[in-house]
Amino acid sequence: MGKKVAVKFFRSLAFDTGMKEIELLFELRHPNIVGIVAWFNQNRRAGIVLELCEKGKLSDAYKKDSFSSVDLLKVMAGSARAVCYWRERDGAGEG
């Protein structure tokens, strides 16, 4: 069986303006950043194919109050590592 993925759809016009972000997502590889698998833009249907987060969205888990203090600290640390990676890779941390 193939790999499970998530698909996010856009209006074509909105999708066209986000091509720079899509290109950047293809270059990023980090365990705390959801990876992009593919993108499409055909017949007024556009979208991106992303790695599937099997446990769902972080915001949904937070709303269900299923995080312990330790879990929340792990999420915050992982998010900080992802932001640092993104900034270092993009050169935004220079200067």
Side-chain angles (χ1 to χ4, degrees), residues 40-83:
F40 57 92
N41 189 8
Q42 277 184 306
N43 301 328
R44 304 177 87 184
R45 298 271 298 171
I48 55 175
V49 181
L50 302 166
E51 296 173 338
L52 180 65
C53 297
E54 299 244 0
K55 294 184 179 179
K57 296 189 304 185
L58 181 60
S59 60
D60 291 343
Y62 182 75
K63 288 175 190 172
K64 292 178 188 172
D65 198 28
S66 61
F67 282 111
S68 69
S69 299
V70 173
D71 291 338
L72 195 51
L73 286 172
K74 287 178 183 178
V75 168
M76 291 171 59
S79 298
R81 283 191 294 274
V83 169

Side-chain angles (χ1 to χ4, degrees), residues 8-15 22 41 44-48:
K8 185 172 183 178
F9 292 96
F10 301 91
R11 282 177 273 173
S12 287
L13 182 59
F15 185 78
I22 290 169
N41 189 8
R44 304 177 87 184
R45 298 271 298 171
I48 55 175

Side-chain angles (χ1 to χ4, degrees), residues 21-29 33-39 47-51:
E21 288 83 359
I22 290 169
E23 290 169 5
L24 179 62
L25 283 172
F26 267 116
E27 295 173 15
L28 292 175
R29 293 289 175 238
I33 299 175
V34 176
I36 187 169
V37 176
W39 65 275
I48 55 175
V49 181
L50 302 166
E51 296 173 338

